[in-house]
Amino acid sequence: MRSNFQHLLVEQDGAVLTIIMNRPEKLNAFNDVMLQEITEVAEAAARDDAIRCVVITGAGRAFGSGQDLTSFAPRSNTGSPPRVSEHLTKYHRLVLALRGMPKPVIAAVQGVAAGISCNIALACDLRIAADNARFIEAFARIGLVPDGGGGFFLPRLVGMGKALEMSMLADEVSGYEAERIGLVNKCVPLAEFEATTKALAQRLARGPTRTYALIKQLIYTSVDSNLETTLELEGELQDQAFETADHREGVTAFLEKRSAQFSGK
Ligand code: LHQ
């Protein structure tokens, strides 16, 4: 994986890869270069067995402020409107890379997460917020519908009523409120944010990585499926999990009354 990026900082600490969106003067708004770079890194991380957990976060005082509105603006004069749906397919590639990543992905959100940046956080498996976090489904403020998978993730995380409220009113949701409604897994004081994120990422990176990939498949398939189909899938996935070295290690460790040392295999 290359290490030189225009709008990203990428750091590897053991088996944890941290991707830092880095346009702080624009609150990490997505332009084409940053979107292309983060997608490239996410896809490379998915293929790299040495990486067992991915963290996505923002530089400076924000997670991200959504699409850079200076680089993708509506045309006010005559002429054909910009094909926003074509532009969105680039975001969809990132969303699919995060959901399909065969290892855990954490969004670490401090400061504002607005518009499509908020929804990229929702595409991750787990979310940690600092107590200065501000989640804004800002789309309706500029006459748009939630994109970047927001229409899918929001009602599944917070229920239909809150999803409609957040999308229509586009009001800020604080970190602690986000924790209360299930939008994030945990909100912590800003002073503890980095250490909490690191501890969770390192813990996940020591876990049974292949099984985590199967868990993602099971949970994400189930929300769009019925009980019978999910039970069938559960059997197929458990067959695979049962064959992993980490399953054998987990059982052996239990029987030997010691902690399991998972290899991710
Ligand atoms: C920005 C941005 C930004 C450029 C702050 N762009 N510069 C849409 C269209 C097309 C295709 C694809 O999909 C989308 C999806 C979307 O993401 S739609 C939603 C787009 N985002 C927004 O509508 C949010 C716009 N930003 C804001 O409302 C505020 O900046 C928030 C609430 C995020 C933060 O407010 P403050 O903390 O008060 O910061 P600020 O407004 O002072 O921003 C700091 C700087 O960042 C400022 O630049 P300046 O040169 O004046 O210091 C802003 O202009 C710039 N910035 N967001 N999206």
Side-chain angles (χ1 to χ4, degrees):
M1 191 187 304
R2 69 182 166 115
S3 54
N4 245 5
F5 298 95
Q6 202 177 326
H7 295 311
L8 291 186
L9 299 169
V10 178
E11 297 169 355
Q12 190 165 349
D13 178 10
V16 175
L17 188 81
T18 301
I19 304 171
I20 305 164
M21 297 178 283
N22 190 28
R23 299 185 74 215
E25 71 290 352
K26 298 281 182 188
L27 304 184
N28 305 318
F30 278 102
N31 64 4
D32 281 356
V33 172
M34 193 173 89
L35 178 56
Q36 194 276 327
E37 288 181 341
I38 191 171
T39 306
E40 178 189 321
V41 175
E43 289 177 348
R47 294 188 297 268
D48 187 344
D49 285 344
I51 295 165
R52 294 170 63 187
C53 180
V54 175
V55 177
I56 297 180
T57 193
R61 70 175 174 95
F63 180 81
S65 59
Q67 168 68 39
D68 187 321
L69 293 174
T70 62
S71 71
F72 197 93
R75 287 177 204 168
S76 51
N77 53 3
T78 53
S80 54
R83 294 289 297 171
V84 67
S85 58
E86 268 170 39
H87 183 58
L88 284 176
T89 59
K90 294 182 235 162
Y91 284 103
H92 296 169
R93 188 170 150 193
L94 173 60
V95 167
L96 294 172
L98 298 174
R99 291 289 279 215
M101 181 96 63
K103 58 201 81 181
V105 186
I106 302 170
V109 179
Q110 52 100 18
V112 77
I116 205 157
S117 300
C118 181
N119 291 338
I120 293 302
L122 303 191
C124 297
D125 305 314
L126 298 175
R127 278 158 293 286
I128 295 187
D131 60 2
N132 70 347
R134 302 153 64 194
F135 295 89
I136 317 173
E137 290 288 337
F139 305 88
R141 291 185 183 181
I142 56 168
L144 293 180
V145 304
D147 57 23
F152 182 91
F153 302 127
L154 256 189
R156 284 167 173 77
L157 284 166
V158 299
M160 213 158 47
K162 271 286 166 199
L164 286 164
E165 180 187 320
M166 285 183 69
S167 302
M168 287 179 172
L169 301 183
D171 286 338
E172 290 187 19
V173 172
S174 71
Y176 283 117
E177 175 68 357
E179 182 185 70
R180 195 185 69 77
I181 65 176
L183 192 68
V184 304
N185 300 85
K186 198 171 179 55
C187 177
V188 296
L190 183 58
E192 295 167 23
F193 173 68
E194 249 186 75
T196 306
T197 303
K198 190 172 174 182
L200 177 66
Q202 292 292 353
R203 176 179 166 184
L204 288 167
R206 288 191 303 272
T209 312
R210 281 186 58 198
T211 301
Y212 286 156
L214 298 172
I215 290 172
K216 286 179 69 161
Q217 202 182 330
L218 180 64
I219 300 295
Y220 290 142
T221 307
S222 83
V223 289
D224 302 308
S225 196
N226 57 28
L227 178 61
E228 286 74 15
T229 311
T230 305
L231 292 177
E232 197 173 320
L233 178 66
E234 172 193 284
E236 287 167 21
L237 297 176
Q238 199 69 299
D239 278 343
Q240 293 179 48
F242 209 75
E243 294 304 316
T244 62
D246 282 340
H247 168 60
R248 283 192 296 279
E249 163 62 7
V251 173
T252 307
F254 171 75
L255 296 175
E256 292 175 356
K257 300 191 186 303
R258 60 172 174 81
S259 311
Q261 298 294 314
F262 291 122
S263 64
K265 306 260 189 292

